[in-house]
């Protein structure tokens, strides 16, 4: 375009007769027009280039996102398969042992305890998978019944203590905190947070939980594990997201727990966020409006 523009104006200049009285004025007109055309082509070219770059950026981003999601889904399928098979295999082995041998009372209790732990883990996992697809497909009808959140949380704590008797759990639950909500989902929320606190903190460390009236209703779960780096604090709530990669991760999981937890909190009109616990670990803070 620039070359053509230059040639065109050269021809126009050549056509002028230097003897003509209007020669200088005409020459100036041609030069002005040539300059204007240069600006026009530069502007148009830059606009097109910008459009192409923006388009390319969006295409790249969506392909990249799709690729990441596909990879996360693959990891998820692998993780779920493993998470489903392990508790079943462990429970089966325990039950077969109990059936074949007459064990001492202590050992029998331990095996039953382990089996119970595995079945409850399976229950949480299956609930997470079912609820996440139902909540997304809007096929789950959230009930908004008046409930005693304090009693509900105590129930989950009891379950947790039955599952992990060796884990020290410091629970401070204020009595008679009522709210409108879905009992099953709220139990799943606390169960997910406690499950993570247990999973991501070393054995001897304690986990603490509190439920109190504070700017509405505040539920916190804190652990003394390795914590969550600031740059990951938002991403951990994404679907299938797990920190690290398959090679470096030591724990099994599906990356669904926090995604569902956030969804449950939002569906109850609340907010969830993560802070660093003192001196170590992470603290999940859930806030609901009072009933
Ligand atoms: P999952 O535990 O199945 O991987 P979640 O959605 O529950 O999935 O958690 C997402 C990620 O957030 C986990 O993979 C883990 O890396 C991180 N995470 C969650 N809770 C904690 C915690 N209490 N301490 C440290 N990291 C955590």
């Amino acid at each position: 375009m620039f070359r053509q523009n230059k040639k065109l104006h050269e021809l126009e200049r050549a056509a002028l007769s230097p003897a003509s009285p209007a020669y200088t004025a005409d020459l100036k007109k041609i030069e002005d027009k040539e300059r204007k055309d240069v600006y026009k082509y530069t502007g148009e070219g830059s606009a097109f280039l910008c459009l192409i770059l923006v388009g390319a950026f969006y295409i790249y981003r969506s392909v990249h996102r799709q690729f990441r999601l596909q990879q996360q889904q693959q990891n998820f399928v692998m993780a779920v398969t493993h998470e489903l098979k392990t508790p079943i295999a462990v429970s089966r082995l325990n039950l077969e042992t109990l059936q074949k041998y007459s064990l001492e009372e202590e050992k029998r209790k331990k095996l039953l305890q382990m089996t119970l732990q595995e079945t409850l883990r399976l229950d949480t996992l299956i609930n997470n998978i079912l609820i996440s697809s139902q909540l997304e497909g809007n096929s789950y009808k959230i009930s908004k019944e008046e409930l005693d959140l304090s009693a509900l949380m105590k129930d989950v704590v009891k379950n947790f203590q039955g599952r992990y008797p060796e884990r020290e759990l410091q629970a401070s639950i204020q009595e008679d905190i009522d709210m409108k909500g879905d009992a099953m989902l709220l139990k799943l929320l606390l169960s997910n947070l406690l499950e993570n606190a247990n999973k991501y903190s070393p054995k001897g460390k304690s986990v603490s939980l509190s439920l109190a009236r504070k700017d509405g209703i505040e539920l916190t779960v804190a652990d003394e594990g390795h914590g969550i780096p600031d740059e990951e604090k938002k991403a951990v709530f994404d679907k299938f997201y797990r920190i690290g990669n398959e090679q470096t991760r030591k724990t099994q999981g599906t990356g669904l727990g926090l995604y569902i937890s956030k969804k449950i909190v939002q569906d109850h009109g609340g907010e969830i966020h993560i802070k660093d616990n003192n001196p170590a670990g992470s603290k999940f803070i859930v806030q609901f409006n009072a009933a």
Side-chain angles (χ1 to χ4, degrees):
M1 292 284 249
F2 284 125
R3 230 179 290 135
Q4 265 183 1
N5 184 37
K6 202 172 166 202
K7 261 193 195 150
L8 196 77
H9 290 93
E10 265 167 15
L11 284 175
E12 281 181 13
R13 266 194 297 266
L16 290 180
S17 142
S20 147
Y23 176 75
T24 335
D26 288 346
L27 192 66
K28 193 168 175 306
K29 248 191 233 161
I30 293 172
E31 274 165 3
D32 283 351
K33 192 167 171 293
E34 186 179 1
R35 211 172 309 123
K36 259 189 215 155
D37 284 349
V38 168
Y39 288 142
K40 196 172 96 184
Y41 296 141
T42 314
E44 283 171 356
S46 316
F48 276 124
L49 187 67
C50 280
L51 270 178
I52 290 169
L53 286 179
V54 169
F57 168 73
Y58 276 106
I59 291 171
Y60 171 78
R61 210 174 62 162
S62 92
V63 169
H64 183 71
R65 235 187 238 165
Q66 202 59 34
F67 181 70
R68 215 181 69 172
L69 195 68
Q70 208 178 353
Q71 233 174 10
Q72 284 174 339
Q73 273 170 344
Q74 254 170 21
N75 287 344
F76 168 74
V77 172
M78 267 160 45
V80 167
T81 315
H82 181 273
E83 294 254 314
L84 286 174
K85 286 184 101 170
T86 314
I88 293 172
V90 172
S91 305
R92 189 174 157 184
L93 193 72
N94 289 350
L95 292 175
E96 277 173 359
T97 312
L98 284 169
Q99 193 185 37
K100 262 193 209 156
Y101 309 101
S102 61
L103 300 171
E104 296 159 24
E105 185 59 16
E106 191 62 24
K107 277 192 181 152
R108 212 177 65 84
K109 263 191 184 165
K110 185 135 200 235
L111 278 184
L112 282 172
Q113 170 63 36
M114 275 164 60
T115 313
L116 184 70
Q117 194 168 313
E118 293 302 323
T119 53
L120 288 170
R121 195 159 80 117
L122 210 63
D123 189 46
T124 309
L125 173 72
I126 289 170
N127 271 342
N128 274 340
I129 296 171
L130 288 180
I131 298 290
S132 83
S133 70
Q134 286 175 352
L135 284 179
E136 258 175 19
N138 288 330
S139 60
Y140 185 89
K141 185 102 191 61
I142 298 176
S143 78
K144 287 275 158 78
E145 55 184 335
E146 188 73 33
L147 44 85
D148 180 348
L149 192 61
S150 311
L152 213 79
M153 298 292 113
K154 278 188 195 161
D155 218 29
V156 180
V157 166
K158 212 172 114 198
N159 245 329
F160 179 84
Q161 283 168 329
R163 254 156 114 177
Y164 306 105
E166 269 117 59
R167 172 70 71 177
E168 186 191 337
L169 177 68
Q170 295 172 345
S172 151
I173 299 178
Q174 213 176 333
E175 293 291 331
D176 301 324
I177 297 191
D178 298 329
M179 73 176 273
K180 279 202 170 90
D182 188 305
M184 202 273 276
L185 293 185
L186 290 168
K187 276 184 169 182
L188 185 62
L189 162 71
L190 181 62
S191 167
N192 278 338
L193 296 181
L194 285 178
E195 195 70 38
N196 277 353
N198 182 59
K199 196 157 69 170
Y200 299 107
S201 65
K203 269 193 178 130
K205 300 282 182 188
S206 74
V207 168
S208 49
L209 171 155
S210 82
L211 176 71
R213 279 196 197 86
K214 189 179 163 197
D215 301 331
I217 298 168
E218 188 180 88
L219 167 73
T220 67
V221 175
D223 62 66
E224 295 174 21
H226 48 69
I228 299 177
D230 284 347
E231 63 277 16
E232 302 276 14
K233 283 192 171 80
K234 202 166 159 270
V236 287
F237 292 107
D238 289 349
K239 197 174 183 183
F240 305 136
Y241 191 85
R242 308 197 68 219
I243 298 177
N245 58 46
E246 288 308 316
Q247 280 76 43
T248 58
R249 273 196 285 267
K250 293 189 201 86
T251 51
Q252 280 295 324
T254 56
L256 273 181
L258 288 182
Y259 167 74
I260 291 171
S261 302
K262 185 170 181 179
K263 193 130 187 31
I264 294 173
V265 173
Q266 285 176 337
D267 286 346
H268 284 81
E271 278 178 21
I272 181 167
H273 52 273
I274 309 171
K275 277 193 177 162
D276 291 331
N277 193 22
N278 208 358
S282 39
K283 185 174 187 174
F284 286 78
I285 303 166
V286 176
Q287 242 140 2
F288 294 117
N289 296 324

